Amino acid sequence: GEARAAVDEHLGASKFASKERCDLAAVEAHTGTSYAQALTVPDDVYAALKALNGAAALVLLPPNSTGLVVGSDSVVLMYDRHGGLKGLPPNERASLLTQAAGQPRAVRGDCFVGRLAYGPPAAGQLRLGGEAAPQLLTERGWLEAAQAAAKAAPTE
């Protein structure tokens, strides 16, 4: 809904994109063309890559994990799935968070961490959960539960 549109708008308009940081393997996979150096990617191709809009949601903690500071909320990381194509800078803090939650990703660029809840129960609708203060990111209980959930999840 409205929150997802705001995330898409913010991630799609990154001023930190740089052709020099493009992930050339990702560019080749996306375009079908191999480039020896990032600077040899044509400007029109890079402009098209930079304009890609693709917010990804990674569920770090599934909903209804009981006995935690987050209650029954899920914890979700929203990031730009095209960060490598756009040449966004590595986001070490977000990458460490995904690793700590048992789902390692090389996140690039800005991201958002939020709590989501389902409710009311009869409707099964997704809504914003409780506050996702910075202290939440280092709270051990939900990170351990997230690791256990990641280990129990079927692999692709």
Side-chain angles (χ1 to χ4, degrees):
E2 191 174 309
R4 178 68 184 251
V7 169
D8 281 340
E9 182 180 340
H10 178 82
L11 294 179
S14 178
K15 63 184 175 195
F16 299 109
S18 171
K19 186 194 279 190
E20 291 79 16
R21 282 192 300 258
C22 282
D23 178 341
L24 294 176
V27 171
E28 181 177 3
H30 186 79
T31 65
T33 304
S34 176
Y35 298 98
Q37 297 178 14
L39 294 176
T40 62
V41 175
D43 289 342
D44 61 328
V45 171
Y46 178 66
L49 295 173
K50 190 176 171 183
L52 291 172
N53 196 358
L58 176 62
V59 178
L60 298 175
L61 179 70
N64 301 317
S65 300
T66 58
L68 301 174
V69 70
V70 296
S72 62
D73 292 354
S74 63
V75 178
V76 179
L77 174 78
M78 301 285 292
Y79 66 99
D80 190 336
R81 78 175 74 245
H82 302 300
L85 292 170
K86 295 177 180 180
L88 296 175
N91 186 327
E92 297 298 327
R93 182 174 284 173
S95 297
L96 287 171
L97 179 63
T98 64
Q99 184 175 359
Q103 299 184 60
R105 300 279 191 293
V107 178
R108 288 178 168 230
D110 292 346
C111 69
F112 301 90
V113 175
R115 290 171 53 183
L116 298 178
Y118 290 98
Q125 294 178 334
L126 194 60
R127 62 180 172 77
L128 288 177
E131 183 179 352
Q135 305 89 291
L136 172 71
L137 302 181
T138 59
E139 203 279 327
R140 182 178 177 155
W142 81 264
L143 286 169
E144 288 175 347
Q147 288 175 3
K151 286 179 185 174
T155 56
E156 295 176 8

